[in-house]
Amino acid sequence: MHYDFIDNAGSRTFLLFHGTGGSKEDLVPLAKHIDPTANIVAFEGDVSERGMRRFFKRKSPGVFDVEDLKKRSKAALKTIETITDKHGLNQTHLIAIGYSNGANLIASTLYVSAGVFEAVFLHHPMIPYESGNMMQGATAKAFIGAGENDPICPKDHTTRVESLLEDCGAKVCLHWHAHGHSLTQGEADAAKKYYDDEVK
Ligand code: MLT
């Protein structure tokens, strides 16, 4: 995966995963809003769906290619390890932030890894797998941003992601807004508040 690295000599590092059709730049303003002192690793998905960048393949909207998702989740974890070593990042303070397709990739990594991320920020996630659980201690803290009228992420998916995270021992904050799939300013503010109160 290609990535941009913004070195702020911070103790924490945000790992950013954009949504379908997005780019490395998309979540940088959100990351800077949450904590302008953190380092940033902004990834670019290397799957192309009719020219739209993604982090894993899907068979149709909302129907994931599970084998590809598993394979790319493991590869993403290896890439994160390599980048952490290369840039001398503090591995106890890695925080993953993803939107939509990027949030789904992060959620998927929690089924195969524990403790890589200090916290995860999942903006408009879906359930990556029909069955199975996230690993115990997958992440200690999790923020979920969701829309009550999101046509892509049904409400029961959101609450199941919340339960899966709670079951693995995470302290979860679920923030609802009254809109759809968009990541609103109110949601960004709620993410920052969760970070300031619970992570920093
Ligand atoms: C996905 O494929 O990850 C979800 O359908 C969300 C999206 O449209 O990216």
Side-chain angles (χ1 to χ4, degrees), residues 20 54 56 58 61-62 64 100-101 104 126 152:
T20 298
R54 291 176 51 83
F56 58 90
R58 62 180 168 182
F64 302 158
S100 191
N101 178 247
N104 296 338
M126 296 169 69
I152 295 172

Side-chain angles (χ1 to χ4, degrees), residues 8 14 30-40 192 195 200:
N8 287 322
F14 292 145
L30 172 67
K32 289 185 172 167
H33 179 63
I34 293 175
D35 184 354
T37 71
N39 311 310
I40 294 174
K192 176 172 176 50
Y195 177 84
K200 211 171 173 182

Side-chain angles (χ1 to χ4, degrees), residues 52-180:
M52 295 185 298
R53 287 190 204 94
R54 291 176 51 83
F55 288 98
F56 58 90
K57 294 179 188 166
R58 62 180 168 182
K59 296 184 171 167
S60 59
V63 182
F64 302 158
D65 179 333
V66 167
E67 286 314 309
D68 187 71
L69 174 54
K70 280 185 189 158
K71 186 182 81 186
R72 290 182 195 274
S73 302
K74 288 179 188 155
L77 289 164
K78 282 215 176 79
T79 303
I80 289 167
E81 203 180 313
T82 304
I83 291 171
T84 304
D85 287 349
K86 179 176 173 191
H87 297 291
L89 304 174
N90 185 334
Q91 59 185 2
T92 59
H93 291 311
L94 299 177
I95 296 162
I97 303 178
Y99 169 64
S100 191
N101 178 247
N104 296 338
L105 181 90
I106 296 167
S108 165
T109 67
L110 303 178
Y111 286 72
V112 292
S113 70
V116 172
F117 304 122
E118 179 182 21
V120 296
F121 287 72
L122 305 178
H123 296 272
H124 303 263
M126 296 169 69
I127 307 161
Y129 305 110
E130 288 297 328
S131 60
N133 293 305
M134 293 175 180
M135 286 184 71
Q136 277 306 307
T139 181
K141 290 154 194 169
F143 173 91
I144 303 171
E148 281 167 12
N149 296 295
D150 189 331
I152 295 172
C153 304
K155 271 182 157 179
D156 64 313
H157 270 238
T158 306
T159 50
R160 276 178 62 199
V161 173
E162 180 188 29
S163 302
L164 283 161
L165 285 160
E166 282 171 351
D167 288 350
C168 76
K171 182 165 186 187
V172 186
C173 168
L174 170 53
H175 170 83
W176 288 103
H177 65 53
H179 309 284

